[in-house]
Amino acid sequence: MHPVPAPPRMPLRQSWPPALVARYRAAGYWRGETFPGFLRERAAQYADDIAVVGGDTRLSYARLWAEAGRIGAGLLAQGLVPGDRVVVQLGNTVDFVSVVCGLFRAGLIPVYALPAHRFTEVAHVLRKAEANAYIAGAAVEGFDYRTLARQLQADIPALRHVLIVGDAAEFVAVSALAGDAARLPPDPDPQSVAFLQLSGGSTGLSKLIPRTHDDYLYSFRASNEICAIGRDSVYLVALPAAHNFPMSSPGFFGALYAGARVVLSPGAGPDVAFPLIARERVTCVGLVPPLALLWAQAAANTAHDLSSLAVVQVGGAKLVPEAARRVIDGLGCRLQQVFGMAEGLVNYTRLHDPLDCVIHTQGRPISADDEVLVLDDHGNPVAEGEVGHLLTRGPYTIRGYHNDPGANARAFTEDGFYRTGDRVQQLPGGYLVVQGRAGDHINRAGEKISAEEIEDHLLAHASVFDAAVVSMPDAYLGERSCAFVIARGDPPTAASLKAWVRGRGLAAFKVPDQVVFVEAFGTTAVGKISRRELRAQLRERFIEQTGEPR
Ligand code: AMP
Ligand code: DBH
């Protein structure tokens, strides 16, 4: 019997116009470095220094490199071929780092899923990336990823390889992988796609973001400089490691690039993170606003020594000035605001910026070659200091999503600017103040939720006639999700609708926080209104009626 040849896959591409490629190289942004290339160098330079700490495991730079080789060669021995895409869904353990580095060494393409993702999201990502392998932890926080793997395999024939960290049951254990390191491929082309990152998604499910070695390495190398990450730094991964912020701004990759130490925290709460900070003398951490506030409060009466913390970065969602003050006062260290996106552009307040700037702005771009436009609804530049739509292009901002012509037509202009969907104000010096989003998504403490995606799931319920999901101001989360529902026949209970959404195999953070039943949505005089206007109207009306905070 002949093996069935794999069908051709959509190639992975990310390219910039030749003139800009030349410019980004000449400026020294793109240096022809790659993930396996820099990891090999650090293993030689800092062989015995500790690179990664998680639980009781401590890996030196040399051991990390060796582990990556074992895993990479083992995956090739399993029948994977360089270029294959591998969905990785792991929690904050040392294995996250060694598996991803193993994929890089083998020329395999990591596709990052969040631990919170469930069947619907992971299946979408597997299909969209045309992945043939899935690597997950056995069980994390009571959820068994092996059960999920079985459901995925039953549904997606192309998913040929399942690898599990921990008790693998019928699957292959990552710890058992072994292979011939001589079969590992040479280092990749620095301009090739290194991995696929996920977008928060404002229209439906996540889009896949192809990032190249050259562009991503530039983003975290330059971030290291801005965030003062050096060999003596200890970087704590408190947010999910798969998220672009703790991965690259400067994140654990920045820390590894610098020869620093990465500490993975299995949880983001003060109870888990504070003892780790004290034990490992952590110097830098990235948090979302609600967590930063929680930390600031808990720091007031903790027995743990947090004095090593030099910089607390806050990003992912807007940190309002009052919260910024509380973070600074509570944690007694430097605050750095970070406004970034997995698509590229990252803004930082600088470590020596005046307090006023750190409190009131979301920083300015990494690069002198980050081009920023602030446009009105008609595409014209706004007057200086006015609020408008943020568009950007530059040496580490993508030119297109993977395998999604529809999204690309919407999200990119003809001359290659990415429409971020954010509304901002640009201050002198290029500092940006985020004023909200134009799109229909909910930023729930940094977790992005697409209104459209959740509406689709609600509409699949037999007792739902129509649904509109909107963001509501929330004192703790920043924004929470509220579903306005017109029932068909007897209205279901709010709890049963929430259970329905959860039962559709979605991440728990996407379940509406609040369900409000209404008789009708109401229309404008014109009769027909866009979903976007409808959502805005519902939101405004609800806030007027209930006096909810703005
Ligand atoms: P994603 O595309 O999923 O990576 O999410 C990026 C989005 O998160 C940005 O476009 C912003 O809407 C939001 N975001 C990230 N950082 C901040 C911040 N510091 N302040 C306000 N919004 C932020
Ligand atoms: O929210 C984000 O996506 C984000 C926030 C801060 C990000 O991707 C980043 C920094 O790199």
Side-chain angles (χ1 to χ4, degrees):
M1 215 174 88
H2 297 289
V4 186
R9 288 173 303 200
M10 172 79 71
L12 292 171
R13 286 215 354 238
Q14 190 63 255
S15 58
W16 285 257
L20 282 178
V21 172
R23 176 176 176 79
Y24 297 157
R25 282 188 177 148
Y29 306 143
W30 295 357
R31 297 189 179 165
E33 292 179 307
T34 64
F35 276 98
F38 98 75
L39 291 164
R40 177 188 301 104
E41 266 178 40
R42 297 302 170 274
Q45 289 170 299
Y46 308 133
D48 299 326
D49 290 4
I50 298 298
V52 196
V53 178
D56 296 327
T57 311
R58 307 173 86 76
L59 286 189
S60 66
Y61 274 90
R63 282 269 315 280
L64 173 61
W65 177 247
E67 264 294 275
R70 178 186 69 77
I71 293 168
L75 289 168
L76 298 183
Q78 290 287 316
L80 279 96
V81 201
D84 282 350
R85 297 120 202 215
V86 180
V87 174
V88 178
Q89 191 178 28
L90 292 169
N92 288 6
T93 63
V94 165
D95 302 289
F96 187 107
V97 181
S98 45
V99 162
V100 167
C101 293
L103 295 174
F104 287 140
R105 278 202 71 176
L108 298 164
I109 308 293
V111 186
Y112 300 118
L114 292 170
H117 286 153
R118 293 297 177 255
F119 178 83
T120 303
E121 289 110 355
V122 183
H124 165 76
V125 167
L126 275 161
R127 288 204 181 91
K128 200 81 182 160
E130 298 171 281
N132 59 355
Y134 171 66
I135 306 186
V140 183
E141 287 178 9
F143 183 77
D144 194 331
Y145 290 88
R146 294 165 303 189
T147 309
L148 175 54
R150 287 175 200 120
Q151 291 163 348
L152 293 167
Q153 272 202 312
D155 217 57
I156 305 175
L159 175 54
R160 297 227 190 83
H161 307 273
V162 173
L163 299 112
I164 300 289
V165 170
D167 176 1
E170 74 270 32
F171 304 114
V172 176
V174 168
S175 61
L177 287 173
D180 181 1
R183 287 191 45 207
L184 291 169
D187 288 354
D189 175 352
Q191 274 187 262
S192 65
V193 170
F195 60 87
L196 294 169
Q197 183 56 284
L198 302 193
S199 79
S202 49
T203 51
L205 287 156
S206 283
K207 297 178 283 285
L208 303 185
I209 300 172
R211 299 289 299 259
T212 65
H213 294 267
D214 254 343
D215 93 76
Y216 209 63
L217 262 72
Y218 168 54
S219 81
F220 58 73
R221 190 179 64 235
S223 294
N224 278 348
E225 209 162 299
I226 293 167
C227 308
I229 297 294
R231 221 181 135 187
D232 296 332
S233 302
V234 182
Y235 179 84
L236 184 75
V237 183
L239 298 172
H243 193 283
N244 198 59
F245 178 16
M247 184 175 286
S248 67
S249 300
F252 67 86
F253 277 132
L256 292 175
Y257 188 89
R261 184 174 296 185
V262 173
V263 178
L264 292 135
S265 181
D271 50 330
V272 182
F274 283 10
L276 270 176
I277 293 173
R279 190 184 86 191
E280 304 292 337
R281 306 294 299 157
V282 167
T283 62
C284 180
V285 63
L287 300 173
V288 291
L291 268 179
L293 286 173
L294 202 61
W295 283 38
Q297 199 177 21
N301 40 31
T302 182
H304 298 288
D305 176 9
L306 307 180
S307 62
S308 57
L309 261 186
V311 179
V312 169
Q313 306 178 294
V314 181
K318 169 93 177 210
L319 184 71
V320 295
E322 189 43 43
R325 281 195 199 92
R326 273 198 263 160
V327 172
I328 295 171
D329 293 345
L331 290 168
C333 65
R334 228 177 261 288
L335 166 70
Q336 178 173 54
Q337 293 216 39
V338 189
F339 162 40
M341 51 209 74
E343 286 82 355
L345 183 71
V346 180
N347 304 272
Y348 294 101
T349 56
R350 302 312 200 249
L351 297 181
H352 297 289
D353 276 343
L355 189 61
D356 197 47
C357 171
V358 173
I359 286 177
H360 288 101
T361 83
Q362 278 64 58
R364 62 179 162 88
I366 290 179
S367 180
D369 277 277
D370 279 322
E371 298 172 68
V372 163
L373 300 176
V374 184
L375 305 181
D376 65 19
D377 288 345
H378 310 289
N380 303 312
V382 298
E384 211 180 315
E386 293 296 307
V387 176
H389 303 278
L390 171 67
L391 285 80
T392 187
R393 63 181 186 189
Y396 59 98
T397 295
I398 59 163
R399 295 296 184 122
Y401 293 108
H402 176 65
N403 197 1
D404 205 337
N408 286 338
R410 286 189 298 273
F412 296 88
T413 66
E414 258 171 36
D415 40 9
F417 279 88
Y418 168 54
R419 295 190 173 95
T420 66
D422 294 311
R423 289 170 53 75
V424 303
Q425 185 187 12
Q426 192 176 35
L427 306 180
Y431 283 79
L432 300 174
V433 180
V434 179
Q435 302 283 6
R437 277 191 69 87
D440 293 308
H441 93 184
I442 298 107
N443 188 336
R444 189 181 188 276
E447 310 256 36
K448 319 303 187 305
I449 304 164
S450 148
E452 198 177 291
E453 179 188 354
I454 308 310
E455 287 165 2
D456 271 349
H457 288 290
L458 288 166
L459 283 165
H461 192 289
S463 305
V464 172
F465 172 73
D466 203 353
V469 175
V470 306
S471 70
M472 285 291 166
D474 185 278
Y476 177 63
L477 297 165
E479 293 177 15
R480 66 174 188 274
S481 63
C482 176
F484 289 93
V485 173
I486 303 174
R488 191 204 305 271
D490 286 339
T493 62
S496 72
L497 272 187
K498 291 183 189 184
W500 165 261
V501 173
R502 193 173 292 113
R504 303 274 293 175
L506 292 185
F509 67 81
K510 293 184 184 172
V511 175
D513 292 300
Q514 191 175 9
V515 177
V516 176
F517 290 99
V518 290
E519 290 292 317
F521 285 153
T523 48
T524 60
V526 192
K528 231 175 139 70
I529 63 171
S530 75
R531 298 292 301 179
R532 179 168 298 179
E533 272 176 73
L534 169 64
R535 292 183 187 114
Q537 269 191 14
L538 283 167
R539 182 173 181 278
E540 295 307 312
R541 198 155 29 107
F542 182 80
I543 289 170
E544 263 167 38
Q545 282 166 6
T546 62
E548 294 248 351
R550 305 242 37 207

